[in-house]
């Protein structure tokens, strides 16, 4: 069964790295009403930590120098919080598992 996947990412260059399997979320308000299995979050966006939804698997990413932010994301409810470079390196593999 294909998993439903979404991403809350403001940066247009980062958005372009997601393919058609990933729905782009444009508003923090929309995060709570999402019906997805997997959610990607750009943790550098203002107030994103306060709006992490419960339910889907959540993978966040931020610049590698933001170690405190990455740790805070785990405490706030992210299942994983990765440095940005590692996240985008792993993204194709993560998305491949969504097709199963």
């Amino acid at each position: 069964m294909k998993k439903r996947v979404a991403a809350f990412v403001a940066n247009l260059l980062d958005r372009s790295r997601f393919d058609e399997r990933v729905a782009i979320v444009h508003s923090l308000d929309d995060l709570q009403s999402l019906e997805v299995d997997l959610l990607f979050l750009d943790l550098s966006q203002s107030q994103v930590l306060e709006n992490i939804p419960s339910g889907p698997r959540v993978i966040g990413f931020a610049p590698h120098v933001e170690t405190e932010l990455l740790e805070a994301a785990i405490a706030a409810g992210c299942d994983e919080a990765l440095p940005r470079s590692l996240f985008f390196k792993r993204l194709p593999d993560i998305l491949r598992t969504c097709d199963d």
Side-chain angles (χ1 to χ4, degrees), residues 3 8 14 18 28 38 41-43 56 59-61 65 67 77-78 83 85 96-97 99:
K3 293 182 180 166
F8 179 69
D14 286 347
F18 294 98
L28 281 174
L38 176 60
L41 291 178
D42 179 352
L43 299 172
I59 301 175
F61 65 93
V65 295
T67 54
C78 279
S85 59
R96 244 186 312 281
T97 66
D99 291 334

Side-chain angles (χ1 to χ4, degrees), residues 37-88:
D37 302 299
L38 176 60
L39 176 62
F40 301 122
L41 291 178
D42 179 352
L43 299 172
S44 62
Q45 298 302 301
S46 176
Q47 299 180 339
V48 75
L49 292 184
E50 297 85 4
N51 289 282
I52 295 173
S54 60
R57 178 176 174 216
V58 178
I59 301 175
F61 65 93
H64 72 279
V65 295
E66 298 285 348
T67 54
E68 289 180 17
L69 178 59
L70 292 169
E71 291 171 7
I74 296 294
C78 279
D79 296 288
E80 292 183 72
L82 303 170
R84 186 180 174 282
S85 59
L86 180 59
F87 171 76
F88 281 109

